[in-house]
Amino acid sequence: MKSLKYSTRGKPHGPCNICGSIGQLTNDHIPPKGCPRVSTVRMHSLFRVLVDGSVPHSGRQAQAGVKYRTLCGDCNSKRLGFEYDPDLIRLARDVGRFLSALKLGIVVPSHTLIRTRPQRVLRSVVGHLLAAAVERLADGDWDLELVEYFMNTSLSFPACARVHYWLYPFQRQVVIRDACFLSLLKSDKGKNPTIFMCLKFYPLSFLVVDNRDNNYRFNLPCLSDYGAVSLNEEVEAPLYFKNLPRETWPEAPSRHHIVVYGGDPLFAQHPQ
């Protein structure tokens, strides 16, 4: 397959992916700066990595991590950077410390509880995923309900979606803005294909899934279960260390499921 450089550079001026306001566009860091191990990466189309079964030696290099030029200053700096990202960064750092303890040989239980402010973390995750495609404005009922939630801090998390999370002790990053999950299991017969977005970076993965009409249910912790608490309320959410999804789930098809992509998802890893 011909080597193509993956692009995350939207036009300098245009509509914001989230609020739609027209003006100067800024670079959204995905994951945000301050999360563990955010540094120079090489970016590739996830399609090529899945088809080839290996990572190309060359690729566009991104200093200080993946950046999408798709957001206005208010959505990027004021909402994500100031209001929401600090809680995602704190959560990622806390989880990273647990992983460091594991590597040192410290015995840990099958799961633990980790304190976080879910309303802020949920908005951070949703905002970065909405940003993660060039010239891809929010459209359709599902997108627009998530945008309304992101913009209005008084709202509970919308019933149209669920946000799952799990431990991700791997170095490769995956960002998926538009995809659809189709299960091949007999137990899922009669269920509707499920739209999803996905963000995977050390040490966490987040999966935002459609929850509107007899969609698949995923046996993973659900952060949006806490989506009705107040903006600044902390909860103790479970973090499991065992029976985790494999490294390439859900993006890589298997004998149990297939994935249909509606855009060009990103794969990134640190240069060797």
Side-chain angles (χ1 to χ4, degrees):
M1 183 180 293
K2 183 180 179 180
S3 178
L4 297 174
K5 289 188 176 181
Y6 192 90
S7 177
T8 59
R9 295 172 180 169
K11 296 177 180 179
H13 188 277
C16 171
N17 265 26
I18 297 178
C19 71
S21 64
I22 297 176
Q24 182 178 352
L25 296 177
T26 60
N27 289 319
D28 177 37
H29 289 78
I30 307 177
K33 290 187 293 184
C35 286
R37 304 187 184 182
V38 173
S39 61
T40 299
V41 295
R42 284 204 179 102
M43 301 185 297
H44 311 278
S45 169
L46 178 62
F47 292 145
R48 176 171 182 184
V49 175
L50 292 176
V51 170
D52 290 357
S54 61
V55 181
H57 294 294
S58 62
R60 186 181 145 215
Q61 190 160 288
Q63 302 289 341
V66 174
K67 299 177 285 293
Y68 281 85
R69 187 165 62 191
T70 57
L71 297 185
C72 68
D74 283 350
C75 285
N76 192 1
S77 299
K78 292 183 180 180
R79 296 187 178 98
L80 279 172
F82 183 75
E83 292 288 347
Y84 308 145
D85 282 350
D87 285 270
L88 176 59
I89 292 168
R90 187 184 70 170
L91 176 62
R93 287 178 173 176
D94 288 346
V95 173
R97 280 191 281 271
F98 279 109
L99 283 179
S100 296
L102 286 172
K103 292 178 180 178
L104 290 173
I106 298 175
V107 177
V108 297
S110 61
H111 74 281
T112 189
L113 297 176
I114 192 160
R115 295 192 65 81
T116 189
R117 295 195 291 186
Q119 286 279 32
R120 291 183 181 272
V121 174
L122 287 166
R123 285 179 167 87
S124 177
V125 171
V126 166
H128 287 300
L129 283 170
L130 290 172
V134 174
E135 298 181 5
R136 167 61 170 92
L137 303 185
D139 61 1
D141 294 342
W142 196 64
D143 277 6
L144 295 177
E145 285 193 56
L146 291 172
V147 166
E148 184 180 14
Y149 169 74
F150 175 86
M151 300 290 290
N152 187 342
T153 57
S154 68
L155 294 179
S156 296
F157 192 82
C160 69
R162 291 172 63 82
V163 179
H164 298 285
Y165 66 99
W166 65 96
L167 191 68
Y168 182 73
F170 307 106
Q171 303 306 312
R172 297 175 172 184
Q173 299 175 20
V174 172
V175 184
I176 301 170
R177 172 63 177 87
D178 295 288
C180 187
F181 184 101
L182 292 88
S183 175
L184 302 177
L185 296 174
K186 290 183 178 180
S187 58
D188 286 328
K189 187 177 181 180
K191 297 285 184 68
N192 288 325
T194 299
I195 298 168
F196 74 90
M197 302 187 288
C198 189
L199 173 59
K200 300 170 68 174
F201 64 94
Y202 181 92
L204 286 166
S205 289
F206 296 93
L207 182 69
V208 183
V209 298
D210 192 353
N211 190 46
R212 291 174 295 179
D213 184 22
N214 195 31
N215 298 111
Y216 305 124
R217 308 293 284 188
F218 298 92
N219 187 27
L220 292 164
C222 185
L223 192 62
S224 54
D225 283 348
Y226 308 100
V229 303
S230 65
L231 184 66
N232 292 317
E233 185 173 343
E234 283 194 341
V235 304
E236 290 187 328
L239 179 70
Y240 293 92
F241 298 106
K242 298 180 180 179
N243 300 319
L244 301 173
R246 57 191 173 89
E247 180 180 2
T248 58
W249 189 90
E251 65 270 17
S254 71
R255 60 192 180 97
H256 299 305
H257 80 286
I258 60 176
V259 180
V260 178
Y261 290 98
D264 193 7
L266 176 138
F267 175 97
Q269 71 172 16
H270 301 289
Q272 300 297 318

